[in-house]
Amino acid sequence: MRRFPPQRIVCLTEETVETLYLLGEEDRIVGVSGYAVRPARVRREKPRVSAFTSADMPKILALEPDLVFTFSDLQADIAAALIREGIAVHAFNQRDVAGILAMIRTVGALVGAAEKAKALARGYEGRLAAITKAGAGRARPRVFFEEWDEPLISGIGWVSELVSIAGGDDVFAGLAREKAAKDRIVAPQRVIEAAPDVILASWCGKKVRPEKIAARPGWETIPAVRDGRIVEIKSPLILQPGPAALTDGLDAILAALRG
Protein backbone atom coordinates (compact mmCIF):
# COMPACT_ATOMS: atom_id res chain seq x y z
CA MET A 1 0.00 0.00 0.00
CA ARG A 2 1.08 3.57 -0.65
CA ARG A 3 -0.24 4.73 2.72
CA PHE A 4 -1.62 3.39 5.96
CA PRO A 5 -4.38 3.24 6.76
CA PRO A 6 -5.63 3.09 3.17
CA GLN A 7 -7.89 5.99 2.23
CA ARG A 8 -9.27 4.59 -1.05
CA ILE A 9 -10.50 0.98 -1.02
CA VAL A 10 -12.26 -1.02 -3.74
CA CYS A 11 -14.24 -4.07 -2.59
CA LEU A 12 -14.97 -6.68 -5.24
CA THR A 13 -17.31 -8.74 -3.07
CA GLU A 14 -20.19 -7.97 -0.71
CA GLU A 15 -18.82 -9.10 2.64
CA THR A 16 -15.93 -6.65 2.93
CA VAL A 17 -18.27 -3.81 1.97
CA GLU A 18 -20.69 -4.71 4.77
CA THR A 19 -17.84 -5.12 7.22
CA LEU A 20 -16.42 -1.68 6.50
CA TYR A 21 -19.85 -0.10 6.93
CA LEU A 22 -20.35 -1.90 10.24
CA LEU A 23 -16.98 -0.61 11.40
CA GLY A 24 -17.96 2.94 10.45
CA GLU A 25 -15.17 3.02 7.86
CA GLU A 26 -17.35 3.28 4.74
CA ASP A 27 -15.86 6.61 3.70
CA ARG A 28 -12.76 4.69 2.61
CA ILE A 29 -14.75 2.73 0.00
CA VAL A 30 -14.51 4.19 -3.51
CA GLY A 31 -15.82 1.24 -5.55
CA VAL A 32 -17.86 -1.93 -4.97
CA SER A 33 -19.12 -5.10 -6.58
CA GLY A 34 -22.43 -4.93 -8.39
CA TYR A 35 -23.65 -7.54 -5.92
CA ALA A 36 -23.13 -5.26 -2.91
CA VAL A 37 -26.55 -4.65 -1.34
CA ARG A 38 -25.82 -4.35 2.39
CA PRO A 39 -26.50 -1.83 3.73
CA ALA A 40 -29.10 -0.78 1.16
CA ARG A 41 -27.64 2.71 0.87
CA VAL A 42 -24.43 1.32 -0.64
CA ARG A 43 -26.16 1.17 -4.03
CA ARG A 44 -26.74 4.92 -3.89
CA GLU A 45 -23.39 5.85 -2.40
CA LYS A 46 -20.72 3.80 -4.15
CA PRO A 47 -19.89 3.23 -7.84
CA ARG A 48 -20.11 -0.36 -9.06
CA VAL A 49 -16.95 -1.57 -10.72
CA SER A 50 -17.26 -5.36 -11.01
CA ALA A 51 -19.42 -8.43 -11.19
CA PHE A 52 -18.01 -11.50 -9.44
CA THR A 53 -15.67 -13.04 -11.99
CA SER A 54 -15.21 -9.92 -14.12
CA ALA A 55 -14.24 -6.34 -13.40
CA ASP A 56 -14.03 -3.00 -15.19
CA MET A 57 -10.27 -2.61 -14.92
CA PRO A 58 -10.04 0.93 -16.38
CA LYS A 59 -12.75 2.09 -13.98
CA ILE A 60 -10.94 0.57 -10.98
CA LEU A 61 -7.61 2.07 -12.00
CA ALA A 62 -9.24 5.48 -12.49
CA LEU A 63 -10.34 5.36 -8.84
CA GLU A 64 -6.66 5.17 -7.81
CA PRO A 65 -7.25 2.72 -4.95
CA ASP A 66 -4.72 2.25 -2.18
CA LEU A 67 -6.06 -1.27 -1.63
CA VAL A 68 -8.43 -3.71 -3.34
CA PHE A 69 -10.22 -6.53 -1.50
CA THR A 70 -10.94 -9.67 -3.54
CA PHE A 71 -12.31 -13.10 -2.66
CA SER A 72 -11.41 -16.64 -3.66
CA ASP A 73 -9.70 -18.31 -6.57
CA LEU A 74 -12.56 -17.19 -8.82
CA GLN A 75 -11.15 -13.66 -8.66
CA ALA A 76 -7.53 -14.73 -9.02
CA ASP A 77 -7.24 -13.39 -12.57
CA ILE A 78 -8.65 -10.02 -11.52
CA ALA A 79 -6.25 -9.89 -8.56
CA ALA A 80 -3.29 -10.76 -10.79
CA ALA A 81 -4.21 -8.06 -13.31
CA LEU A 82 -4.44 -5.46 -10.55
CA ILE A 83 -1.11 -6.53 -9.08
CA ARG A 84 0.51 -6.19 -12.50
CA GLU A 85 -0.83 -2.61 -12.55
CA GLY A 86 0.94 -1.93 -9.26
CA ILE A 87 -2.20 -2.03 -7.09
CA ALA A 88 -2.06 -3.52 -3.57
CA VAL A 89 -4.51 -6.44 -3.29
CA HIS A 90 -5.66 -8.49 -0.31
CA ALA A 91 -7.36 -11.72 -1.38
CA PHE A 92 -9.63 -13.36 1.20
CA ASN A 93 -10.57 -17.03 1.00
CA GLN A 94 -12.77 -17.73 4.03
CA ARG A 95 -14.96 -20.82 3.73
CA ASP A 96 -16.14 -21.39 7.31
CA VAL A 97 -17.42 -19.43 10.30
CA ALA A 98 -13.96 -19.11 11.83
CA GLY A 99 -12.75 -17.71 8.52
CA ILE A 100 -15.56 -15.14 8.45
CA LEU A 101 -14.62 -13.94 11.93
CA ALA A 102 -10.95 -13.80 10.92
CA MET A 103 -11.89 -11.78 7.83
CA ILE A 104 -13.67 -9.21 9.98
CA ARG A 105 -10.66 -8.87 12.26
CA THR A 106 -8.28 -8.65 9.30
CA VAL A 107 -10.29 -5.95 7.53
CA GLY A 108 -10.29 -3.98 10.75
CA ALA A 109 -6.54 -4.33 11.17
CA LEU A 110 -5.89 -3.29 7.56
CA VAL A 111 -7.82 -0.04 7.97
CA GLY A 112 -6.53 0.88 11.42
CA ALA A 113 -9.75 -0.14 13.19
CA ALA A 114 -8.52 -3.30 14.89
CA GLU A 115 -10.27 -2.75 18.22
CA LYS A 116 -13.64 -2.03 16.60
CA ALA A 117 -13.25 -5.16 14.48
CA LYS A 118 -12.37 -7.29 17.50
CA ALA A 119 -15.46 -6.04 19.30
CA LEU A 120 -17.65 -6.74 16.26
CA ALA A 121 -16.28 -10.28 15.91
CA ARG A 122 -16.65 -10.96 19.65
CA GLY A 123 -20.26 -9.88 19.44
CA TYR A 124 -20.92 -12.40 16.71
CA GLU A 125 -19.08 -15.13 18.62
CA GLY A 126 -21.26 -14.48 21.66
CA ARG A 127 -24.45 -14.61 19.60
CA LEU A 128 -23.46 -17.85 17.91
CA ALA A 129 -22.65 -19.42 21.29
CA ALA A 130 -25.97 -18.26 22.76
CA ILE A 131 -27.97 -19.69 19.84
CA THR A 132 -26.11 -22.99 20.09
CA LYS A 133 -26.83 -23.18 23.83
CA ALA A 134 -30.49 -22.30 23.38
CA GLY A 135 -30.94 -25.19 20.96
CA ALA A 136 -29.38 -27.83 23.23
CA GLY A 137 -31.74 -30.70 23.91
CA ARG A 138 -34.12 -29.93 21.06
CA ALA A 139 -34.89 -32.40 18.30
CA ARG A 140 -32.51 -31.82 15.40
CA PRO A 141 -34.13 -31.92 11.94
CA ARG A 142 -32.16 -33.35 9.05
CA VAL A 143 -31.45 -30.60 6.53
CA PHE A 144 -30.50 -30.54 2.86
CA PHE A 145 -29.15 -27.17 1.78
CA GLU A 146 -29.41 -26.77 -1.99
CA GLU A 147 -26.94 -24.19 -3.31
CA TRP A 148 -27.83 -24.83 -6.97
CA ASP A 149 -30.41 -26.89 -8.80
CA GLU A 150 -28.85 -28.10 -12.06
CA PRO A 151 -26.66 -29.87 -11.08
CA LEU A 152 -27.60 -30.26 -7.44
CA ILE A 153 -24.95 -28.67 -5.24
CA SER A 154 -24.97 -28.97 -1.46
CA GLY A 155 -24.02 -26.27 1.02
CA ILE A 156 -20.50 -24.90 1.55
CA GLY A 157 -18.67 -24.90 4.89
CA TRP A 158 -20.07 -21.83 6.64
CA VAL A 159 -23.62 -22.73 5.54
CA SER A 160 -23.32 -26.23 6.97
CA GLU A 161 -21.95 -24.82 10.24
CA LEU A 162 -24.79 -22.32 10.53
CA VAL A 163 -27.33 -25.09 9.97
CA SER A 164 -25.72 -26.93 12.89
CA ILE A 165 -25.67 -23.81 15.09
CA ALA A 166 -29.36 -23.27 14.30
CA GLY A 167 -30.13 -26.79 15.54
CA GLY A 168 -30.16 -28.88 12.38
CA ASP A 169 -27.99 -31.63 10.95
CA ASP A 170 -26.70 -31.12 7.42
CA VAL A 171 -27.24 -34.40 5.59
CA PHE A 172 -24.15 -33.72 3.48
CA ALA A 173 -21.93 -32.23 6.17
CA GLY A 174 -19.02 -34.30 4.88
CA LEU A 175 -19.14 -32.48 1.55
CA ALA A 176 -19.22 -29.03 3.16
CA ARG A 177 -15.46 -29.12 3.59
CA GLU A 178 -15.06 -29.11 -0.21
CA LYS A 179 -14.30 -25.56 -1.37
CA ALA A 180 -15.17 -26.03 -5.05
CA ALA A 181 -18.83 -26.27 -6.01
CA LYS A 182 -18.06 -29.09 -8.45
CA ASP A 183 -16.92 -31.21 -5.51
CA ARG A 184 -20.25 -30.73 -3.73
CA ILE A 185 -22.44 -32.04 -6.55
CA VAL A 186 -24.89 -34.70 -5.33
CA ALA A 187 -27.13 -37.07 -7.26
CA PRO A 188 -30.88 -36.61 -6.72
CA GLN A 189 -31.10 -40.21 -5.50
CA ARG A 190 -28.69 -39.42 -2.67
CA VAL A 191 -31.04 -36.71 -1.42
CA ILE A 192 -33.94 -39.17 -1.50
CA GLU A 193 -31.87 -41.64 0.53
CA ALA A 194 -30.80 -38.93 2.99
CA ALA A 195 -34.49 -38.18 3.71
CA PRO A 196 -34.12 -34.60 4.95
CA ASP A 197 -36.86 -33.13 7.13
CA VAL A 198 -36.21 -29.65 5.75
CA ILE A 199 -34.88 -28.45 2.40
CA LEU A 200 -33.28 -25.01 2.39
CA ALA A 201 -32.54 -23.61 -1.05
CA SER A 202 -30.55 -20.62 -2.24
CA TRP A 203 -29.83 -20.59 -5.95
CA CYS A 204 -27.19 -17.86 -5.99
CA GLY A 205 -29.05 -15.02 -7.67
CA LYS A 206 -31.83 -17.11 -9.21
CA LYS A 207 -35.28 -17.32 -7.62
CA VAL A 208 -35.96 -20.66 -5.97
CA ARG A 209 -39.03 -22.53 -7.19
CA PRO A 210 -40.21 -24.89 -4.43
CA GLU A 211 -42.75 -26.50 -6.74
CA LYS A 212 -39.95 -27.46 -9.12
CA ILE A 213 -38.02 -29.08 -6.27
CA ALA A 214 -41.11 -30.96 -5.09
CA ALA A 215 -41.82 -32.26 -8.61
CA ARG A 216 -38.49 -34.06 -9.03
CA PRO A 217 -38.97 -37.77 -9.71
CA GLY A 218 -39.13 -39.77 -6.50
CA TRP A 219 -38.82 -36.72 -4.23
CA GLU A 220 -42.43 -37.00 -3.06
CA THR A 221 -41.17 -39.57 -0.54
CA ILE A 222 -38.77 -37.10 1.10
CA PRO A 223 -40.19 -35.88 4.44
CA ALA A 224 -39.40 -32.22 3.61
CA VAL A 225 -41.37 -32.48 0.36
CA ARG A 226 -44.21 -34.48 1.89
CA ASP A 227 -44.59 -31.93 4.71
CA GLY A 228 -44.11 -28.82 2.58
CA ARG A 229 -40.92 -27.76 4.31
CA ILE A 230 -39.02 -26.34 1.34
CA VAL A 231 -37.76 -22.86 2.21
CA GLU A 232 -35.87 -20.32 0.11
CA ILE A 233 -33.13 -18.29 1.77
CA LYS A 234 -32.11 -15.31 -0.33
CA SER A 235 -28.54 -15.68 -1.56
CA PRO A 236 -27.30 -12.26 -0.30
CA LEU A 237 -28.18 -13.43 3.21
CA ILE A 238 -26.43 -16.78 3.22
CA LEU A 239 -24.04 -17.24 0.29
CA GLN A 240 -21.82 -14.25 1.14
CA PRO A 241 -19.23 -15.34 3.76
CA GLY A 242 -19.53 -12.27 5.94
CA PRO A 243 -21.71 -10.54 8.55
CA ALA A 244 -24.95 -11.15 6.62
CA ALA A 245 -24.59 -14.91 7.00
CA LEU A 246 -23.96 -14.65 10.74
CA THR A 247 -27.01 -12.44 11.30
CA ASP A 248 -29.93 -12.42 8.87
CA GLY A 249 -28.80 -15.65 7.20
CA LEU A 250 -28.67 -17.52 10.49
CA ASP A 251 -32.02 -16.00 11.52
CA ALA A 252 -33.58 -17.27 8.30
CA ILE A 253 -32.28 -20.78 8.99
CA LEU A 254 -33.60 -20.63 12.54
CA ALA A 255 -37.05 -19.58 11.31
CA ALA A 256 -37.12 -22.38 8.74
CA LEU A 257 -36.10 -25.08 11.21
CA ARG A 258 -38.55 -23.96 13.87
CA GLY A 259 -41.42 -23.27 11.49
Side-chain angles (χ1 to χ4, degrees), residues 153-178:
I153 297 174
S154 62
I156 198 168
W158 70 85
V159 173
S160 181
E161 288 182 73
L162 292 175
V163 166
S164 180
I165 289 167
D169 289 326
D170 177 6
V171 296
F172 295 116
L175 292 179
R177 293 188 292 270
E178 301 292 344

Side-chain angles (χ1 to χ4, degrees), residues 18-134:
E18 184 177 13
T19 298
L20 286 167
Y21 269 87
L22 289 167
L23 294 175
E25 301 291 338
E26 66 271 21
D27 287 349
R28 301 179 189 278
I29 303 172
V30 295
V32 299
S33 160
Y35 292 102
V37 295
R38 293 172 64 93
R41 61 190 176 97
V42 70
R43 298 186 71 82
R44 302 190 306 270
E45 296 177 348
K46 307 297 180 181
R48 293 183 286 280
V49 299
S50 73
F52 186 64
T53 57
S54 63
D56 187 332
M57 197 63 61
K59 195 170 185 179
I60 294 173
L61 295 176
L63 292 170
E64 299 184 339
D66 301 314
L67 179 63
V68 176
F69 288 136
T70 69
F71 171 73
S72 90
D73 57 302
L74 295 177
Q75 293 191 332
D77 290 344
I78 300 172
L82 288 166
I83 292 167
R84 283 192 289 269
E85 293 289 344
I87 303 297
V89 175
H90 187 99
F92 288 100
N93 223 340
Q94 70 273 16
R95 306 300 177 111
D96 53 22
V97 170
I100 294 173
L101 295 167
M103 178 275 294
I104 292 168
R105 288 182 165 98
T106 302
V107 167
L110 286 169
V111 300
E115 292 307 313
K116 287 193 290 186
K118 287 178 184 177
L120 183 62
R122 282 196 297 265
Y124 291 141
E125 288 169 336
R127 182 173 191 266
L128 297 176
I131 291 171
T132 300
K133 183 177 180 180

Side-chain angles (χ1 to χ4, degrees), residues 198 229 253-259:
V198 180
R229 299 190 70 184
I253 296 173
L254 283 165
L257 299 194
R258 295 175 182 176

